[in-house]
Amino acid sequence: MLSAFTARSIVELKQRNKSKIECDRLLVGLNVGSLRIYRVNEPIDESHAQNGSTTEDQRPSSSSRSNAVDLMREEEKFSKHKIEQLAIVKEANLLVSLSNGVVSIHDLQTYELQETLVKTKGATAFAVTSNIVRDPSTGVPSIVSRLAVAVKRRVILWSWHDSELNSETSELTLVTGIKTLTWATGTRLIAGLTSSYVLVDVVTSAVTDIVGPGSIGGAPGQDGGRLGGVGVSTISYMGLGGAAPKPLATQLGEGEMLLAKDINTLFIDTEGRSLGRRQIPWAVAPEAVGYSYPYLLALQATKGTLEVRNPETLTLLQTISLPHASQLHIPQPNISLAHAGKGFLVISERCIWRMGALDYDSQIDTLVDHGRLDEAISLLGMLEDALLKDKEGRLREIKMRKAQNLFDLRRYRESLELFTEVSAPPERVIRLFPPIIAGHASSHPDSADDAKEDKDDSAGGVATNDAALEDTGLEKKRSTEETRNKDAQSSHPSTDGSQVVINDTASVSGIKSGAAAKESKLEGRDLRAATAELRPFLVSARTRLQRYLNPDGTLKDAHSFSGPTVSRVQEAKELLLAQAPQSTEERRQQMVETAKLVDTTLFRAYMFASPSLAGPLFRLDNFCDPDVVKEKLIETGRYNDLVDFFYGKKLHQQALELLERFGKKEQRDENASQLAGPRRTVAYLQNLPPELIDLILRFVEWPLDEDPDLGMEVFLADSEYAESLPRQKVLDFLQRKDKGLAVKYLQHIIQELNDTTPSFHQKLIQIFVQGLKAGKFGDESARSKWERDTLDFLRSSRYYQPYKAIQMLPADDPRFYEARAIVLNKMGQHRQALDIYVFKLRDPNKAEEYCNQVQLAETSSPTLPHRGRRSPATDLEDKTTSIYHMLLSLYLSPPPPHKPQWGPALNILAKHGARMPAYSTLDLIPEVLPIKDLESYFRGRIRSANTVVNESRVVSALSHSLGFSEEAKLRLGDGIPGGNSGRNRHVVITEDRVCGVCYKRFGGSAIKVLPNMMLGYNVCIGQREDEKGVREAVDQWNSGLDYQSV
C-alpha cells in the first residue's frame, strides 16, 4: 500500500465544531463564535521508515508532538453565532466568514469586523478565488480576487482588483436552491443545486446545465429530489428516510473538475462537458472531496477514513484512518504550485490533522516495489519534471519493467510495443528469449537444443497463441469481477511484488498465472508468437542504430559525441545502450556490439519463423555474426542466401570457395541447384571491385575451363568493375591460360574501350604473328579468320610501332607478304610495298587498291597542301612523282629478272593517267608500244584538261551573277524585308508629320531619321537614347531584322 501522506495531529479541541483556513497561520472558528489563531510549527525531520509505514491499520497518534502548534491569539467576540465557514482574500488582506447565514468581512491582521454584507442574509455557502489576469489592452498582469455567495437561489458576486474592492456587485438567480459553490476557473463557477449542477460564467452571466449520471443531474430544469436518479445501491445503505447528500465538486488537474453526489461521479472540463471517464467505485458516499496535487482525496465520514486515489486510473492507493473526520481544507493552488500537494488539513469533531506528503521519489519507489507499475507510470505522467529526479529516466525504466512483466504474462504484443515505445536497450529485450533466438545473450538456462522449433505447429502457431491469450483474458476478466466485489468490502487491493498491477482490481488468478508463466519455458507456439512480435522491435532498433553507425562500423558524426552538443549523445546513451561509456571509441565499440547483437538476433528470428525473409536482410548492410549465420544456413541448406551474406560481409574468398564446390559438375546438390555451373560464380566475380584482382584471377580459372565464353564475361562485361580491372594483369593471366582468350580480351579493350596503349597493340600483333607461325588451327576457316583479323588490325591500328612489327614478319614467308606490305605502308616505304604486291603476290588489283588508298590519304590529309587540277600548260613542267607513277614504273621498267607487264601498265594509264605527270609518264612508255594501245590514256588526259577549262568558265559565270545580286541589294534593297530602297531610301516630310518622341510638328530644328524610318527632332531622340523603342530600332537596323515603326 502506498504511503503518499502521513497524518499529524496539530490541534485538539473540546466537543465543538469549527472551520479553519491556513496561510502562515491556522485560523479555527468555533461553534461558540470564537476565532483561534495558531502558529503551526514545522516538525523535526522524522525517519523515512516511520513516514512510509503508515497504513490503514495504524492510526496516527493524536499527540505526536506537544508543540505542533502554538496558540497565538483567541478572539472570543469574533462572532455572536457559530462560525460556519472561513476564507482569506490574501491580496486584499481580508478574512471572510459565514455565521448565522450572513457573510462578514474582517481585517486579516486585527480580525476586526469591517463590513457585514447585508445582501447575503440567508447565505448557505461562499467561495473565494484569486487569479492573475492580464489587461487585454496593456497586457499588464494584475491579481483579481472574487467572492461568490450563495443565498437561496441567488449568487452574489464581489471582486477585488489588486486589493481594491470593486464598488459594483453582480447577482444571478438559478432555478433551485444552491447547496455548494466551487470555482472552476477565475470566471466560471460550479453551483451544486438540490438535484443537479450548473456552470455559471460570472462575466457573461451564462448558465449551463450539467447533465450526468444518477444523482448528478437529469435533463435541464428537472428536479428529481432525493430519489431522482439515485441508484439501488444508494437506497440500500442510505434508506428511504435519509438526508439528501450534499453535492460536492473539486478542481483536479489543469482544465478538469470532479462532481460527486451520493456515490455518483462525473468528470468534466471547464466548459461543463463530460470527459467520458468511468465513475469512481465508491461503496459509500463521501463526506468531502478534494485534490492535493496530484491525488484525489475523498473523506469517508462513516468509515472514519481518508481515501487517496489516482485521478487518472481511479485506483485506491492509500487509506488513512482518521476517526470522526468530517472536513477537508486544501490550500488554493490557482496562483502558484509552490505549496500544491505539500500539506492539507483534515478536521474531526475534536481534532485537526495536518497531512504531510512523502517526497514523490519515495512514492514512486514504493509503487514500483509493490508491483503497481501502471500507477507509478500514471503518477510520473502527472508530476512536473522539477519535482522528480530524472523523471524521463525513471519513467522509461518503469515502462521497461512493465513490459518485462507483460512478457512474463505471455502478452507479447503489448510487451514488445511498450519496449519499442521507450526505445529499450536491445540487450534487455533479447535476453528474455531462449538461446535459439538470443544466443549467448539469453538469460534462460536452457540450451539451444531444448528450444527446437515445432515444424507441425508452424502454420497455426500465432493464431493459436492469440486464442490462448483471448482465453486468458476471459479468465482474467471473470476473476477481476470477483475481486472488484471483494474490493468494495476491503480497504485496499491485494498486490504481489512480482506482478504488474494493470489496475487496482487486478485478479489474484492473474497473479498466479503470471508467476506460472514466468517459471515455464518459452517454447513451441509461445516462442513463435513472441518471436513474431520481436521482429518489429529489432527492425526499429536497427533503424535507430543506423543513425549513428556507418556500414563499416565507424560513427557517422564522431565529433558530435564529444562536445557541448549533447542531444544525439543522450539519445545514443539512453535509447540504444544499456551502459553508456564516456569515451567516443568505447561508445563506438559498444554500439557496434549492440548492432551485431540486433542483426544476429533478427537473423535467428527470421530463420526460426520465416526463413524466406532472411535473404533480403543479407542484401542490406548488416552486422550479423558470420559464424552464426554460416552455421545456421548450412544447417538448413540455404546456400544461395549464404553466398549473399558472404558478399555483404565482404567474405569473398569463402563465398567463392562455396560456389566452386557446388558449381563443379561432380558435386551437385539439390539444395544448391542455383549454384550449379559457372554462371553463379561469374555473376559473383563481375560484382567484385578491381582491388580484388588476385582473388578474381584465382577463381575465374574453373569457369574459363568449363565455359570460356561465359568465363570471359568477367573481363568483357559492360560494367564499371570490368572496365576498371588492371588490364596488364588480366592480359598476362589470359596469355598464360589461352592465346585465343588473350586475343579476345585485347580486341575488346582496343576496339570497344579504345585503349591506345602501344604495348597492348604491339602485344596483339605479336600474338597474331605467333599464331600464324604456329599454324595450329582446327580448320582452314579458322586460319583464314585469324589471318584476316591480323591484316585488319595492322591496317586499322595507328598505335603500334611499325619497325618492331616488321621485324616479327619473315621476309621470305608467303603468309606474311601482305602483312609486310601493310607495315611498309605504315613506314612510308611505298615502293617496297608495291614491289611485294607486283612481284611476290602478283596481284594487280591489290596493287591498284594500295595506290588508291595512298592517294586518298595524301589528298585528304590536312597536313599536306591541296593539289588541285593542273592546267595542261603547267602540267608539262610538273615533275612530281605520284604513287601511280611509281606503280607504272614497276610495271614498265621492272628490275631483273622480272619482265614488263603491259596489261596492268595500260590499265593504270587508262584509269589514272590524268593523275600522273605527262612528261615523266611518256618517258616511261617504250617506243615499241603502238600508239593505238595508248588511246585510253590520251582520251583521259584530254577529258581532264577540258574539265578544268569548263570548271573555270562555270565559276566565272557564277561569280558575275553573285556580284550583280549583291549590288542590287546594296543599291535598291531588293530581297531584304523592309529594305527601304537600299541606298536610295528617302523620307517625305509633310505638314502632318510629327516628332515620334514629343509628337510636335516639325519646324526649323534639326531632324533625325532612325534606321527604322522613324522621324524625330535630334534633341528629343538624343534625350531618349535609353528608351526601349529607340534601342530596339537601332538593334534591328544593325542586325538586319524587319523594321517596324515605334
Side-chain angles (χ1 to χ4, degrees):
M1 177 62 69
L2 174 66
S3 295
F5 300 99
T6 56
R8 174 170 169 261
S9 175
I10 58 175
V11 177
E12 292 186 0
L13 302 171
K14 295 181 180 180
Q15 189 67 24
R16 57 184 67 176
N17 294 326
K18 73 262 150 231
S19 297
K20 58 81 196 69
I21 188 164
E22 178 191 9
C23 49
D24 297 332
R25 294 154 290 176
L26 176 65
L27 281 65
V28 180
L30 306 181
N31 62 352
V32 295
S34 299
L35 176 69
R36 290 184 182 180
I37 300 94
Y38 295 92
R39 180 180 65 237
V40 181
N41 300 318
E42 294 296 332
I44 302 175
D45 292 341
E46 300 176 359
S47 65
H48 179 76
Q50 180 179 355
N51 288 339
S53 61
T54 303
T55 63
E56 63 174 353
D57 298 329
Q58 296 176 337
R59 296 182 178 179
S61 172
S62 62
S63 58
S64 59
R65 289 184 56 87
S66 59
N67 58 344
V69 295
D70 295 327
L71 179 60
M72 299 174 59
R73 184 175 176 180
E74 181 173 0
E75 294 288 337
E76 295 182 355
K77 298 182 180 181
F78 184 80
S79 176
K80 297 180 181 180
H81 303 279
K82 171 185 175 182
I83 300 176
E84 301 174 7
Q85 189 176 353
L86 290 174
I88 284 179
V89 183
K90 186 175 181 180
E91 291 70 27
N93 198 30
L94 299 176
L95 174 63
V96 184
S97 67
L98 173 62
S99 179
N100 193 29
V102 178
V103 176
S104 302
I105 305 296
H106 304 262
D107 185 272
L108 184 58
Q109 301 299 326
T110 62
Y111 308 107
E112 294 180 357
L113 178 64
Q114 290 187 351
E115 182 182 1
T116 299
L117 303 179
V118 180
K119 290 184 179 182
T120 62
K121 186 175 182 180
T124 55
F126 68 84
V128 174
T129 183
S130 296
N131 300 274
I132 298 176
V133 179
R134 290 187 178 273
D135 187 273
S137 59
T138 63
V140 177
S142 62
I143 297 179
V144 178
S145 302
R146 287 186 172 90
L147 169 65
V149 181
V151 182
K152 298 181 181 179
R153 294 170 51 195
R154 296 178 300 153
V155 178
I156 307 175
L157 298 166
W158 285 264
S159 62
W160 288 263
H161 292 265
D162 289 334
S163 74
E164 295 183 3
L165 178 63
N166 192 343
S167 58
E168 297 181 0
T169 61
S170 57
E171 183 176 328
L172 298 172
T173 303
L174 304 181
V175 293
T176 59
I178 303 171
K179 300 296 184 181
T180 59
L181 292 175
T182 306
W183 287 99
T185 64
T187 59
R188 292 176 180 174
L189 189 68
I190 296 290
L193 307 181
T194 304
S195 60
S196 64
Y197 289 86
V198 294
L199 178 66
V200 180
D201 192 319
V202 299
V203 176
T204 63
S205 300
V207 179
T208 304
D209 292 283
I210 299 174
V211 179
S215 58
I216 295 296
Q222 179 180 348
D223 187 359
R226 169 72 183 98
L227 299 180
V230 178
V232 176
S233 59
T234 304
I235 299 178
S236 63
Y237 77 86
M238 291 294 296
L240 294 177
K246 183 171 61 174
L248 306 176
T250 183
Q251 292 184 4
L252 298 178
E254 184 176 358
E256 293 185 10
M257 291 203 63
L258 171 67
L259 307 182
K261 187 175 183 182
D262 207 342
I263 61 171
N264 298 307
T265 57
L266 177 65
F267 291 91
I268 62 172
D269 59 13
T270 55
E271 300 288 339
R273 296 185 294 262
S274 174
L275 297 178
R277 297 169 57 182
R278 66 186 180 90
Q279 297 192 50
I280 301 175
W282 280 326
V284 180
E287 182 69 21
V289 294
Y291 179 73
S292 181
Y293 182 82
Y295 297 108
L296 172 63
L297 307 174
L299 187 60
Q300 299 285 359
T302 57
K303 291 184 177 182
T305 59
L306 177 67
E307 293 183 355
V308 181
R309 292 181 181 269
N310 185 327
E312 288 187 352
T313 65
L314 308 183
T315 304
L316 179 62
L317 299 177
Q318 184 181 10
T319 302
I320 304 174
S321 178
L322 300 171
H324 309 294
S326 59
Q327 296 185 38
L328 283 174
H329 172 71
I330 302 172
Q332 179 187 1
N334 296 59
I335 299 177
S336 173
L337 281 176
H339 60 281
K342 284 189 175 181
F344 58 93
L345 301 178
V346 182
I347 306 166
S348 69
E349 295 292 331
R350 300 185 58 187
C351 186
I352 300 177
W353 290 276
R354 187 184 187 191
M355 309 303 295
L358 194 65
D359 66 282
Y360 295 120
D361 290 299
S362 300
Q363 296 181 35
I364 298 297
D365 293 337
T366 301
L367 290 173
V368 173
D369 293 340
H370 286 80
R372 303 177 73 85
L373 303 183
D374 276 333
E375 300 303 327
I377 293 171
S378 176
L379 182 58
L380 282 168
M382 292 186 292
L383 292 173
E384 298 290 337
D385 295 354
L387 302 177
L388 295 166
K389 298 177 181 178
D390 188 19
K391 173 183 174 180
E392 295 297 330
R394 298 198 68 181
L395 181 61
R396 178 171 178 263
E397 176 61 29
I398 295 173
K399 285 185 176 181
M400 287 192 289
R401 290 187 60 173
K402 176 184 176 182
Q404 185 168 348
N405 288 344
L406 288 172
F407 190 91
D408 295 337
L409 289 172
R410 303 186 186 279
R411 297 167 64 175
Y412 305 117
R413 174 167 297 181
E414 299 175 41
S415 173
L416 270 301
E417 286 178 353
L418 189 55
F419 274 130
T420 304
E421 175 189 340
V422 300
S423 300
E427 302 95 321
R428 182 166 184 169
V429 180
I430 292 173
R431 68 187 180 192
L432 300 176
F433 288 79
I436 192 173
I437 301 297
H440 298 294
S442 174
S443 61
H444 290 235
D446 320 8
S447 64
D449 296 336
D450 296 334
K452 291 183 178 179
E453 60 179 301
D454 186 357
K455 298 292 184 181
D456 298 335
D457 297 338
S458 60
V462 176
T464 307
N465 184 66
D466 292 340
L469 291 177
E470 184 177 353
D471 294 340
T472 305
L474 293 175
E475 178 185 356
K476 183 173 181 180
K477 182 177 181 181
R478 290 193 296 268
S479 60
T480 301
E481 293 175 353
E482 297 173 1
T483 308
R484 184 176 299 168
N485 295 332
K486 296 178 182 179
D487 184 66
Q489 302 175 0
S490 61
S491 58
H492 64 279
S494 301
T495 58
D496 191 328
S498 62
Q499 161 69 7
V500 54
V501 181
I502 306 304
N503 50 52
D504 62 341
T505 58
S507 62
V508 178
S509 61
I511 297 173
K512 294 180 179 179
S513 62
K518 188 173 182 180
E519 295 177 358
S520 62
K521 294 181 180 180
L522 184 60
E523 56 186 2
R525 296 180 179 178
D526 286 336
L527 179 58
R528 287 186 177 278
T531 304
E533 302 301 333
L534 174 66
R535 291 183 301 185
F537 170 81
L538 294 176
V539 171
S540 176
R542 190 173 186 274
T543 302
R544 296 196 306 272
L545 282 165
Q546 289 175 349
R547 300 175 189 169
Y548 311 100
L549 284 178
N550 291 312
D552 58 355
T554 59
L555 293 177
K556 285 189 175 180
D557 193 7
H559 67 274
S560 67
F561 289 88
S562 57
T565 305
V566 298
S567 57
R568 293 189 63 196
V569 180
Q570 195 67 19
E571 183 181 359
K573 287 181 179 180
E574 296 183 357
L575 303 185
L576 300 177
L577 306 177
Q579 299 177 353
Q582 299 299 322
S583 164
T584 300
E585 179 59 26
E586 291 178 356
R587 187 177 299 113
R588 184 197 67 80
Q589 293 178 358
Q590 192 173 39
M591 293 185 75
V592 170
E593 290 299 323
T594 302
K596 183 177 179 181
L597 176 63
V598 169
D599 286 353
T600 304
T601 305
L602 182 59
F603 162 74
R604 289 194 181 102
Y606 281 145
M607 293 302 298
F608 179 77
S610 303
S612 59
L613 297 178
L617 176 63
F618 302 147
R619 298 181 183 93
L620 303 174
D621 295 324
N622 62 83
F623 292 89
C624 292
D625 188 345
D627 295 334
V628 174
V629 175
K630 181 179 179 181
E631 178 184 357
K632 193 67 177 178
L633 291 179
I634 291 178
E635 177 184 344
T636 56
R638 304 183 68 85
Y639 298 105
N640 192 46
D641 290 340
L642 182 58
V643 171
D644 291 338
F645 173 74
F646 281 149
Y647 180 81
K649 302 300 289 184
K650 294 182 172 54
L651 301 174
H652 303 301
Q653 182 171 347
Q654 298 184 37
L656 290 170
E657 289 174 352
L658 184 67
L659 288 171
E660 183 179 5
R661 180 159 62 91
F662 289 101
K664 292 184 177 179
K665 297 180 181 180
E666 59 271 19
Q667 298 189 18
R668 300 285 180 178
D669 193 319
E670 294 181 357
N671 294 327
S673 58
Q674 296 181 350
L675 308 184
R679 185 170 299 277
R680 188 71 171 84
T681 302
V682 170
Y684 192 97
L685 292 172
Q686 286 177 335
N687 291 301
L688 294 183
E691 295 80 15
L692 302 176
I693 182 61
D694 295 333
L695 191 66
I696 295 173
L697 297 180
R698 174 184 169 186
F699 286 95
V700 79
E701 287 198 29
W702 75 269
L704 288 173
D705 294 337
E706 290 201 6
D707 190 342
D709 293 336
L710 180 61
M712 282 300 295
E713 289 298 318
V714 176
F715 310 112
L716 307 183
D718 185 13
S719 65
E720 182 180 357
Y721 283 165
E723 296 177 4
S724 303
L725 291 174
R727 295 173 182 177
Q728 188 59 49
K729 278 192 173 184
V730 175
L731 179 60
D732 294 341
F733 168 77
L734 293 176
Q735 195 171 358
R736 292 192 302 269
K737 187 74 177 175
D738 188 342
K739 299 292 185 182
L741 300 179
V743 170
K744 192 173 184 179
Y745 180 71
L746 284 171
Q747 289 177 329
H748 171 73
I749 63 175
I750 292 173
Q751 298 174 4
E752 297 185 17
L753 303 183
N754 298 321
D755 194 319
T756 59
T757 306
S759 60
F760 291 152
H761 291 251
Q762 202 70 35
K763 176 61 71 175
L764 182 56
I765 294 174
Q766 181 181 353
I767 296 175
F768 275 139
V769 172
Q770 290 176 355
L772 287 174
K773 288 180 179 179
K776 297 179 180 179
F777 302 103
D779 51 14
E780 184 61 24
S781 62
R783 188 200 66 79
S784 300
K785 182 179 183 305
W786 186 276
E787 184 177 356
R788 186 168 56 254
D789 291 343
T790 304
L791 298 177
D792 290 343
F793 182 73
L794 288 172
R795 290 191 185 96
S796 60
S797 176
R798 296 182 293 124
Y799 300 101
Y800 65 88
Q801 299 174 344
Y803 70 92
K804 289 185 178 181
I806 200 66
Q807 295 175 1
M808 302 178 191
L809 303 172
D812 55 350
D813 192 338
R815 295 174 298 178
F816 299 98
Y817 285 163
E818 188 172 358
R820 285 181 63 85
I822 294 172
V823 177
L824 289 171
N825 178 26
K826 296 288 185 180
M827 299 172 66
Q829 299 179 8
H830 302 301
R831 189 172 188 85
Q832 296 182 20
L834 290 173
D835 186 84
I836 292 175
Y837 284 117
V838 173
F839 301 114
K840 292 184 178 181
L841 293 177
R842 296 182 180 276
D843 192 339
N845 293 330
K846 288 186 178 181
E848 183 181 356
E849 179 63 25
Y850 178 86
C851 293
N852 292 339
Q853 293 178 358
V854 173
Q855 180 68 19
L856 181 63
E858 290 180 353
T859 54
S860 62
S861 176
T863 58
L864 296 177
H866 177 69
R867 299 176 64 184
R869 295 182 179 272
R870 302 181 181 88
S871 63
T874 59
D875 192 38
L876 295 175
E877 299 176 359
D878 191 354
K879 298 181 180 180
T880 303
T881 303
S882 68
I883 187 65
Y884 297 103
H885 185 276
M886 193 179 299
L887 177 60
L888 183 63
S889 65
L890 289 177
Y891 282 143
L892 298 178
S893 302
H898 303 289
K899 297 180 180 180
Q901 301 181 25
W902 305 109
L906 292 175
N907 186 45
I908 291 298
L909 286 172
K911 292 181 179 180
H912 308 286
R915 294 187 176 93
M916 294 182 289
Y919 179 80
S920 57
T921 301
L922 292 175
D923 288 343
L924 291 177
I925 299 175
E927 296 179 357
V928 296
L929 187 64
I931 296 299
K932 182 181 179 180
D933 294 340
L934 298 176
E935 181 182 0
S936 298
Y937 168 71
F938 290 121
R939 286 181 180 274
R941 293 291 300 181
I942 294 171
R943 187 180 295 111
S944 177
N946 292 336
T947 300
V948 173
V949 173
N950 294 335
E951 182 178 352
S952 63
R953 291 176 179 175
V954 172
V955 170
S956 177
L958 291 175
S959 299
H960 179 73
S961 176
L962 180 61
F964 181 82
S965 175
E966 292 298 325
E967 186 175 2
K969 290 180 181 179
L970 179 62
R971 294 183 177 276
L972 304 178
D974 293 344
I976 301 178
N980 296 324
S981 302
R983 290 182 177 178
N984 295 324
R985 74 183 191 279
H986 59 277
V987 178
V988 178
I989 300 177
T990 64
E991 60 181 6
D992 296 331
R993 295 293 293 268
V994 296
C995 174
V997 178
C998 66
Y999 300 102
K1000 295 181 180 179
R1001 290 186 179 182
F1002 292 114
S1005 301
I1007 300 174
K1008 190 173 184 178
V1009 182
L1010 293 179
N1012 61 352
M1013 304 303 292
M1014 173 183 171
L1015 295 176
Y1017 284 115
N1018 187 35
V1019 176
C1020 295
I1021 293 179
Q1023 293 176 353
R1024 299 287 298 273
E1025 283 292 337
D1026 57 342
E1027 288 291 332
K1028 179 179 178 182
V1030 176
R1031 292 200 310 270
E1032 287 185 353
V1034 175
D1035 293 341
Q1036 289 172 355
W1037 174 266
N1038 293 334
S1039 59
L1041 298 177
D1042 185 16
Y1043 305 139
Q1044 299 293 335
S1045 298
V1046 179

